[in-house]
Amino acid sequence: MAKRDYYEVLGVSKDASPDEIKKAYRKIAMANHPDTHPGDKAAEERFKEASEAYEVLSDPKKKQQYDTFGFGGLGSDGGGFQQGFADFSDIFGSGGFSDIFGSFFSGGGSRRGAQYHGTPGQSLRYDLTIDFLDAVHGVKKEISFSHKVKCSACSGTGGTGRKTCPTCGGTGRIQQGGGFFSITKTCPSCHGTGSILEKPCATCRGTGLERKTERLSVNIPAGVDTGSRLTLRGKGDAGENGGPDGDLVIFITVRDDKYFFRDGQDVYLQIPISITQAALGAELYVPTIDGGQIKVTVAPNTESGRLLRVKGKGFPAVNSTERGNMFIRLHVQTPKHISLKARKMLKDLSMELGETDHPEPMDYEA
Ligand SMILES: [Zn+2]
Ligand SMILES: [Zn+2]
């Protein structure tokens, strides 16, 4: 398939402002986001195409190269677009229940064509931080959040005496103006639903929805990492007038550990060894992310910085038992406190080893 022009992809002109480019991208990304279109390849393609275009057109340097040389100016990878969308936080907003996120999931164009009437409920974002070691085995977390549910007073009907809206005659839209310049807009009496209530519910004032705080126990699977998302279907805001319920999307952040650090499924740990252990070799007990210890063998003549690999002691993949590896970096540490006796022994050792004060330079990478 031939690559489409980036301006065409975003539907903006060549002299669009950065703000217009951002708005255009956000609209397309929101309408085609994989979270709201699971398994929809066409939407995924549109999302990727728009993200790639935005990646280039939002970067003044890349934009200039593209404007001057077209795709050829960006190198073979088409501008270095990174797959995934962890870096688009300024587009989707962050923190708490984001308005941008809400409207992004609320449907509008994104669920066009689905078989429903009414207004779909907004999907909501929930930010959850878990401990590093909880990501190893998974964890159960209590969350508390506020969302719109069906009004308990009217069972979500909004009231009684529903009848066809007299303003628009049930079409939900009205014509304004006349002649060539008439415009169609959403009916202000029924807000586009085509019907009105003779006796709107006093509790929800006819919306059929009320706000409720809910507690949920959520199972966070083993292997999640910062940037992982969990979607709880139907736990967002309830839809109006028969529209589908939104989702609750949990954005995970995993806290750093003091000693372990993680790279994908692999985990790294630095362990100090003494100069004698480095010289003679040793067997050491080292903690793992499982909470236990493993025995590792340090070979004689080990240089500082050597990496030992322990297979299968890294993180599991989400929904898989396959685990990454653990890498132990050995750091040779000189003794901190040296007694007079030890000082003498080290001097004797230095003599015995024939150490020189004219060292030969060595390969920098070694
Ligand atoms: Zn109406
Ligand atoms: Zn009600």
Side-chain angles (χ1 to χ4, degrees):
M1 193 180 78
K3 234 172 148 74
R4 286 207 295 154
D5 174 66
Y6 285 149
Y7 292 96
E8 192 190 310
V9 168
L10 295 183
V12 295
S13 68
K14 287 226 175 202
D15 46 30
S17 71
D19 209 37
E20 285 171 322
I21 289 171
K22 186 167 169 174
K23 273 189 188 145
Y25 166 63
R26 189 160 66 195
K27 216 170 130 190
I28 297 168
M30 285 172 176
N32 295 287
H33 199 282
D35 282 0
T36 50
H37 294 72
D40 184 341
K41 284 278 167 224
E44 194 188 326
E45 277 312 310
R46 282 194 296 274
F47 179 80
K48 280 187 186 164
E49 196 185 27
S51 298
E52 183 183 319
Y54 179 68
E55 151 94 2
V56 171
L57 298 186
S58 63
D59 180 330
K61 215 175 126 193
K62 286 183 188 162
K63 182 176 186 293
Q64 201 204 343
Q65 281 180 328
Y66 177 71
D67 288 346
T68 315
F69 303 108
F71 291 114
L74 299 166
S76 57
D77 63 348
F81 171 62
Q82 304 280 311
Q83 292 239 334
F85 25 89
D87 295 325
F88 292 94
S89 53
D90 70 316
I91 291 295
F92 297 130
S94 60
F97 293 89
S98 159
D99 284 344
I100 293 173
F101 196 78
S103 58
F104 142 43
F105 277 101
S106 71
S110 74
R111 295 192 185 177
R112 215 177 296 156
Q115 293 302 306
Y116 63 80
H117 302 284
T119 314
Q122 294 206 339
S123 283
L124 305 171
R125 169 178 179 148
Y126 187 94
D127 288 290
L128 179 67
T129 302
I130 65 168
D131 285 336
F132 186 89
L133 294 179
D134 280 342
V136 181
H137 297 294
V139 65
K140 203 173 204 157
K141 283 280 174 192
E142 287 280 324
I143 64 167
S144 171
F145 64 101
S146 154
H147 64 163
K148 289 180 191 166
V149 296
K150 279 200 170 73
C151 170
S152 52
C154 63
S155 311
T157 58
T160 54
R162 187 169 287 283
K163 61 173 191 180
T164 302
C165 172
T167 310
C168 61
T171 60
R173 307 189 74 71
I174 54 163
Q175 296 262 326
Q176 236 179 22
F180 291 114
F181 301 106
S182 82
I183 53 161
T184 306
K185 46 182 259 184
T186 303
C187 170
S189 303
C190 63
H191 305 290
T193 59
S195 64
I196 58 165
L197 294 158
E198 275 177 336
K199 279 190 190 154
C201 167
T203 306
C204 64
R205 275 177 272 147
T207 61
L209 300 175
E210 64 178 341
R211 192 160 276 286
K212 195 183 151 198
T213 299
E214 197 174 335
R215 295 185 78 82
L216 269 184
S217 184
V218 184
N219 284 313
I220 310 297
V224 293
D225 202 350
T226 294
S228 297
R229 295 175 186 186
L230 297 175
T231 301
L232 304 181
R233 295 261 169 250
K235 289 290 181 187
D237 283 345
E240 283 178 62
N241 305 307
D245 295 342
D247 301 327
L248 180 69
V249 184
I250 299 180
F251 282 59
I252 308 258
T253 300
V254 178
R255 274 189 202 97
D256 289 340
D257 185 77
K258 191 174 175 198
Y259 298 119
F260 292 110
F261 82 84
R262 180 174 176 177
D263 180 19
Q265 279 177 258
D266 294 332
V267 68
Y268 289 77
L269 180 68
Q270 178 153 273
I271 291 287
I273 61 172
S274 71
I275 49 176
T276 51
Q277 286 168 330
L280 305 176
E283 284 187 332
L284 301 174
Y285 294 86
V286 172
T288 68
I289 54 172
D290 294 308
Q293 293 198 322
I294 43 158
K295 189 162 88 171
V296 294
T297 304
V298 176
N301 301 317
T302 289
E303 305 283 358
S304 200
R306 179 178 291 178
L307 273 186
L308 302 180
R309 186 176 71 157
V310 186
K311 274 191 169 176
K313 289 287 178 191
F315 276 84
V318 176
N319 297 324
S320 158
T321 51
E322 199 178 301
R323 294 181 61 159
N325 301 315
M326 177 181 180
F327 291 93
I328 300 164
R329 188 173 190 274
L330 300 172
H331 177 79
V332 177
Q333 211 163 46
T334 53
K336 293 265 181 287
H337 306 285
I338 304 175
S339 65
L340 281 175
K341 189 179 171 194
R343 182 177 298 273
K344 185 178 178 305
M345 289 168 84
L346 284 171
K347 281 205 160 163
D348 287 349
L349 178 64
S350 177
M351 199 90 85
E352 173 65 22
L353 294 175
E355 287 172 0
T356 169
D357 53 4
H358 288 81
E360 187 91 4
M362 65 187 283
D363 185 349
Y364 194 84
E365 299 296 331

